[in-house]
Amino acid sequence: PAVYQIQSGDSGPRLSTPPAQPQDHSLVTYAVIQGRWSGTTEILRIPFPYWEMHYTAEPLVDVSEDHVTVFPRINIQVMDADDPNRFVRVANPDILDSRLFAENDPRPWIEKFYEGNRNYYFVINARFVSSYTIEIKVPKRYVA
């Protein structure tokens, strides 16, 4: 105050902030895709600016025959339905062998999307997988 020649007892403008409003950051399931085989989904409209894809896959058990090792894999390509040449993202988890993450299971894997208000479809490539589940989740405040 002395720099601006304001006496310390003067009343001047006071800065105050409004009280913080608790925000609900919880997510709700908007769509679910389940299957076992590779394939392409129908077009899904996601009319929200933010969404998440939570996915998990169960590898086949006892698929090794004659000491041949197989590696379960899943690859999910998120495609822009209005521009089929545009990959939005390719989700490809590093580890799908459940024996390797018995103590620290990374599932479900989560992909966050900061775009929306679009039509999407999903191309799923699954090898040596007994089942997979993909959940599209959106913030609860968008649908409430």
Side-chain angles (χ1 to χ4, degrees), residues 9-71:
D10 289 348
S11 63
R14 305 242 185 257
L15 177 64
S16 65
T17 58
Q21 297 291 328
Q23 292 190 4
D24 185 6
H25 295 289
S26 62
L27 300 170
V28 294
T29 301
Y30 182 71
V32 177
I33 302 162
Q34 293 179 312
R36 175 179 179 185
W37 310 107
S38 298
T40 302
T41 68
E42 295 179 12
I43 293 174
L44 174 64
R45 173 91 180 139
I46 301 179
F48 310 110
Y50 174 79
W51 55 285
E52 293 183 4
M53 179 174 71
H54 294 218
Y55 60 102
T56 187
E58 293 296 327
L60 283 173
V61 292
D62 298 330
V63 292
S64 297
E65 293 182 14
D66 299 326
H67 304 288
V68 174
T69 304
V70 296
F71 298 99

Side-chain angles (χ1 to χ4, degrees), residues 2-142:
V3 172
Y4 300 103
Q5 291 85 33
I6 299 174
Q7 300 295 327
S8 60
D10 289 348
S11 63
R14 305 242 185 257
L15 177 64
S16 65
T17 58
Q21 297 291 328
Q23 292 190 4
D24 185 6
H25 295 289
S26 62
L27 300 170
V28 294
T29 301
Y30 182 71
V32 177
I33 302 162
Q34 293 179 312
R36 175 179 179 185
W37 310 107
S38 298
T40 302
T41 68
E42 295 179 12
I43 293 174
L44 174 64
R45 173 91 180 139
I46 301 179
F48 310 110
Y50 174 79
W51 55 285
E52 293 183 4
M53 179 174 71
H54 294 218
Y55 60 102
T56 187
E58 293 296 327
L60 283 173
V61 292
D62 298 330
V63 292
S64 297
E65 293 182 14
D66 299 326
H67 304 288
V68 174
T69 304
V70 296
F71 298 99
R73 303 292 299 160
I74 188 165
N75 174 291
I76 304 166
Q77 301 168 18
V78 181
M79 304 295 293
D80 185 337
D82 299 322
D83 183 1
N85 294 319
R86 178 176 169 255
F87 280 94
V88 177
R89 178 144 345 138
V90 177
N92 191 6
D94 293 333
I95 302 171
L96 197 54
D97 190 345
S98 61
R99 295 170 294 182
L100 298 177
F101 46 73
E103 291 182 18
N104 189 17
D105 192 342
R107 297 175 296 179
W109 293 283
I110 299 172
E111 300 282 335
K112 297 180 180 186
F113 294 84
Y114 295 94
E115 70 166 53
N117 299 313
R118 292 182 174 273
N119 297 313
Y120 300 95
Y121 67 93
F122 304 85
V123 179
I124 302 155
N125 298 300
R127 290 188 56 188
F128 303 111
V129 170
S130 65
S131 68
Y132 59 81
T133 301
I134 304 167
E135 288 186 81
I136 306 303
K137 294 184 174 272
V138 298
K140 187 176 182 179
R141 68 181 180 274
Y142 291 167

